[in-house]
Amino acid sequence: MNWGLVFRAALAVVLLAFLVSPDSFAPLLQPLVKYGAPPIYHQGNLLEITLNHLWITFAATLAATIFAVGLAILVTRPFGAEFLPLSRSIANVGQTIPPVAVLALAIPLLGFGTEPILVALFLYGLLPIFENALAGLANVPRDVEEAARGMGLTPWQRLVQIELPLALPVMLTGIRIAAVISLSTATIGSTVAAKTLGEVIIAGLTTNNTAFVLQGGLIVGACAVLINDGLLALERVLAQRTGRAQRA
């Protein structure tokens, strides 16, 4: 029996049950509160907050993926190789500027809400996606490329039919890392009025309610584990397929 799969399935079921009916878990969290404070966060619907948190993560990761993969494709073409140092500098911006600083800079331009945290997460996700896309595209076997040229495929056909499929498992590693980082970092979006699980954690910190802090943190942690493991499983499937393709 695959106990890892059983654990992930059980975690998904418990997470869904908590989000749909959080009051059912109140007795478990009651010992963590004092002076009659509520053990379950009711200032907003936990399911809606979680879905919005996931949407913000998905939107930022998708935007970072499109930009970073496009940049990696550009610098791995002969006409774009000279832009590699500049592209690396652009991808490094998100890692050198803290997300909190990005939020502070974005608020005067975008105002409070979802937009500032989307910008911060987009920048933060560029580096792992770009570097993995670059590694995947740069390490396509030469004999495969020569065979594609011998078949008369155009550069665009080689990119779409050969290079991207072979590089996809490595690219997905960067996307997975960026998604998990963004999922955790998105909690700070609540400091600029974005609707994320950070509001549950902040509410717990400001009212000294450990139950709020725990449930907000556990929801983020459970989502991170499930997303990481799901993408990791997809990576393995794609790696096996591309491995067979290269051997063939």
Side-chain angles (χ1 to χ4, degrees), residues 21-209:
S21 181
D23 288 325
S24 302
F25 293 79
L28 295 175
L29 296 171
Q30 189 65 52
L32 299 176
V33 300
K34 301 176 181 178
Y35 313 118
I40 301 296
Y41 184 77
H42 283 303
Q43 296 174 20
N45 185 289
L46 282 174
L47 179 58
E48 291 180 3
I49 294 172
T50 302
L51 290 176
N52 199 67
H53 189 111
L54 292 173
W55 177 85
I56 289 172
T57 300
F58 172 78
T61 305
L62 177 62
T65 298
I66 293 171
F67 185 86
V69 171
L71 206 57
I73 291 173
L74 172 66
V75 299
T76 52
R77 305 305 98 183
F79 61 84
E82 63 183 294
F83 297 106
L84 178 58
L86 175 61
S87 299
R88 278 212 161 98
S89 298
I90 294 173
N92 274 297
V93 167
Q95 298 291 325
T96 54
I97 303 177
V100 175
V102 176
L103 292 180
L105 294 172
I107 288 173
L109 297 175
L110 303 174
F112 288 88
T114 302
E115 290 78 8
I117 190 62
L118 282 174
V119 172
L121 296 181
F122 166 78
L123 292 174
Y124 217 53
L126 286 179
L127 183 61
I129 299 175
F130 174 75
E131 289 295 344
N132 278 272
L134 188 63
L137 290 169
N139 288 289
V140 174
R142 285 177 175 254
D143 56 342
V144 175
E145 290 186 348
E146 291 300 327
R149 288 191 183 92
M151 293 169 60
L153 296 183
T154 65
W156 174 254
Q157 288 174 325
R158 292 199 300 271
L159 173 65
V160 174
Q161 298 178 26
I162 306 296
E163 295 180 54
L164 286 177
L166 290 178
L168 188 56
V170 182
M171 289 184 185
L172 196 56
T173 300
I175 295 171
R176 172 173 57 84
I177 293 170
V180 173
I181 291 174
S182 294
L183 184 70
S184 302
T185 309
T187 54
I188 68 171
S190 294
T191 61
V192 294
K195 199 172 186 63
T196 72
L197 287 162
E199 74 175 70
V200 183
I201 298 172
I202 292 172
L205 293 173
T206 55
T207 60
N208 197 27
N209 189 327

